Amino acid sequence: MPHVIVEYTDNIKKEADIPNLLKKVNSVLISRSDIFPTGGIRSRAIELQDYRVADGAENDAFVHTVLKIGSGRSDVDKKKICDELFEAIKGHFANLFARRYLALSMELIEFSEAGTYKHNNIHKRFRNS
């Protein structure tokens, strides 16, 4: 863990460069390997085709990002990583934001490890690095 889920409206698909956004998101999280094991980082994007923004009068768009983490990080660490992630997201979309109506948002979901199931051998690659 952490997992990042980016939902974005299909009306920005051509300009959004989502693969690069996911690379940036992962880079931010990898830079905090002291609190997030690199082998547990996952990011994915979901293109939304059925949505309505505001009154529907414009070709409005949105990107909503969810950061899901297991419990146990300090409030200071959570705020810092959320600030860093949201700044990376805003930076990624800055040009698009300047040219069209676009809503950017992000939320943190912290959950208990009870009730989660994991089977992951990716961590082994990063233990000695």
Side-chain angles (χ1 to χ4, degrees):
M1 228 39 183
H3 287 210
V4 176
I5 303 148
V6 177
E7 298 174 322
Y8 66 98
T9 54
D10 64 351
N11 58 349
I12 60 170
K13 181 177 182 168
K14 291 179 182 175
E15 300 169 286
D17 191 8
I18 296 300
N20 194 34
L21 172 64
L22 297 179
K23 183 177 181 180
K24 290 174 185 177
V25 163
N26 277 34
S27 292
V28 169
L29 296 172
I30 289 168
S31 77
R32 292 306 315 265
S33 63
D34 58 318
I35 60 172
F36 297 121
T38 301
I41 296 169
R42 313 276 186 281
S43 62
R44 56 200 172 271
I46 301 168
E47 179 185 331
L48 303 173
Q49 297 177 356
D50 298 312
Y51 56 89
R52 186 170 178 90
V53 181
D55 61 2
E58 296 290 334
N59 189 27
D60 298 327
F62 72 85
V63 177
H64 179 69
T65 303
V66 177
L67 171 61
K68 296 173 75 173
I69 63 171
S71 62
R73 278 78 180 189
S74 72
D75 288 342
V76 170
D77 282 339
K78 289 185 288 189
K79 178 167 179 13
K80 185 172 181 181
I81 198 67
C82 285
D83 289 348
E84 289 175 31
L85 270 177
F86 199 55
E87 286 303 313
I89 292 165
K90 289 188 325 185
H92 181 82
F93 288 105
N95 290 333
L96 191 57
F97 191 90
R99 295 192 320 268
R100 64 166 302 132
Y101 293 114
L102 175 62
L104 302 174
S105 58
M106 189 179 86
E107 70 180 304
L108 170 65
I109 297 175
E110 184 177 19
F111 59 89
S112 165
E113 291 292 325
T116 64
Y117 301 84
K118 301 172 189 164
H119 187 63
N120 178 352
N121 65 5
I122 299 170
H123 290 287
K124 290 190 298 186
R125 282 191 313 150
F126 300 99
R127 287 210 175 104
N128 293 327
S129 54

